[in-house]
Amino acid sequence: MKTKITFVVVGLVAAIVLGSAGSARAATWTQKTNMPTARWNLSTSVVDGKIYAIGGLGGLKKVEEYNPATDTWTEKADMPTGRMWLAASAVDGKIYAIGGRTTWHGGATLATVEEYNPATDTWTQKADMPAPRDGLSASVVNGKIYAIGGSGGGVDVSTVEEYDPATDTWTTKADMPTARWVVSTRVVNGKIYAVGGLTTSAGLPTVEEYDPVTDTWTKKADMPVPGASRTSVVDKKIYAFGGTPRRGGAPVSTLLQYEPATDTWTAKDDMPVRMLGMRASTVDGRIYVIGGSSTPWPYSPFLSTVWEYDTGLRVASPDINGDGVIDGADISIMVDHWHMDEPSCDIFPAPFGDGIVDVQDLVLISEYLLKEVEDPTIVAHWALDEAEGDIAFDSAGINDAFVIGDPLWLPDGGLVDGALQLDGVDDYIITAPVLNPASGPFSVLAWIKGGAAGQTVISEPGGVNWLSTDPLEGSLMTELTSPGRGATSLMSQTNITDGNWHRIGLVWDGSYRTLYVDSIAVAQDIQDGLTDSANGLYIGTGKAMEPGTYFSGFIDDVRIYNRVVIP
Ligand SMILES: [Ca+2]
Ligand SMILES: [Ca+2]
Ligand SMILES: [Ca+2]
């Protein structure tokens, strides 16, 4: 009984600490799979969760599709007119590639508009833009595209032209107050923000806001660092990456954040590399910074790199406890965190919440009650409900796993439908790489029954054991630690090998690692990040597959989320 009381106290402390740590979560940078074609001053647009890299010097006609969910690139149909310094915007699932320059030195400035349909992988020519321009930017409000600024015939311009894809027509709008080239525009709350850019003599700190409804411009707070940064939006804030402070200047690694609601700029931690001429796009709350150059003039070689910037904000899910259903258990956890800043329970407004768990969150979760809801935060889910065979299907993603050693499928013998019974000798499951613990908060959960001291439930081949039992007591532990010297395993005092079903979990919120057994936080400490991993996972054996580390018992319903779950 004594230990049980201790655990309850640990649980309460954990809840309070996690709550207050919520808003201070660290942003992270992760390098992803390179774009096939290195390029500079391309365009990137998002349709249906995929990023389309179009044009740019080095690529010119090339179109390549990036899927952040699978970290893979696919080559698509070439753009008819090769160009750099173009603008591109997506409306109703189609991308409009606008203007640009045929090549760098001696090239021609273009008025060309070509429409790309990702569903059919085809291109269609559209009505020319009235004023040929390169180094312009384009943004969409209410289904219309606004092509802003740039350079025409070697002169920086303040031109604004509105394109209506529905009628294939152009309309001239009120000039932007400040003429500029390689300006970057973004939309927040129906207004367009034209950020920075270059003139022939200087880099500009200028920010001007355009209201398409009234066709008027308003000056806003200057950037703290002037120049041609590239932007993207997360949670109604504009992030401005790198660029150069003057024409022909060297790349910088500055990262700035602009909040239109308060008209304020904040300097964030620098990017991992200096960069200019890249483009940035947001998918599922993460920004992908693609291509560009890290070298001074003449800027070659161009980059094929993809950097993922995670602001640290998490997309919340109404399935707070990560069991696949939205029911009273989730509401109960929400109520436990009432009026706290607990991101896991802060589901309204989507996707990031508003820093407080209140009646709006309760109303929203009640709308989801007992409904089938697709959870965007689940990375892998092996239900282990198969009756036979050597594949454990991933119902959430693309991580179907191989079942080795002939373990016993028990279609009716699990905690949630079927389960897998492993013999503790040579049975295990192996998966492809699923999630890098260094790239941000995540949760790993499983139901287990049986096992013995020293055995492993989930491990990284050649890495460390993610969820295992200590060799003496059979208590839940994890070896996943920060990369620093002297990092130690996190041990609980809760035996999970007593022959009963237990739901075990490791939850990493970016600051704290927490072990859970049956909804109770049984151990927790602070870590300075977690070690990088690019490997797959073993389920049912240790990192080195040593005898004694194979699990002898039942494993069921293994889930991995890219967020904090409160199980
Ligand atoms: Ca739930
Ligand atoms: Ca809220
Ligand atoms: Ca199952």
Side-chain angles (χ1 to χ4, degrees), residues 383-408:
L384 303 177
D385 292 344
E386 288 80 8
E388 58 179 7
D390 50 12
I391 306 274
F393 291 101
D394 171 14
S395 64
I398 50 153
N399 296 293
D400 292 346
F402 291 104
V403 179
I404 315 279
D406 268 335
L408 204 56

Side-chain angles (χ1 to χ4, degrees), residues 317-331 333 365 503 561 563 566:
S317 163
D319 181 18
I320 297 166
N321 66 357
D323 64 354
V325 289
I326 295 150
D327 60 12
D330 300 297
I331 291 183
I333 297 167
I365 200 171
R503 192 175 194 222
Y561 292 86
R563 63 163 161 115
I566 304 178

Side-chain angles (χ1 to χ4, degrees), residues 383-385 416-419 556-557:
L384 303 177
D385 292 344
V416 187
D417 301 321
D556 194 5
D557 207 53

Side-chain angles (χ1 to χ4, degrees), residues 29-30 32 44 51 66 68-69 71 232 241 279-290 306-309:
W29 284 95
T30 310
K32 312 299 277 187
T44 59
I51 301 172
Y66 179 64
D71 190 26
S232 203
F241 300 90
R279 292 298 181 272
S281 284
T282 301
V283 175
D284 283 343
R286 294 175 188 206
I287 300 173
Y288 297 84
V289 180
I290 299 173
V306 178
W307 285 94
E308 179 191 80
Y309 180 64

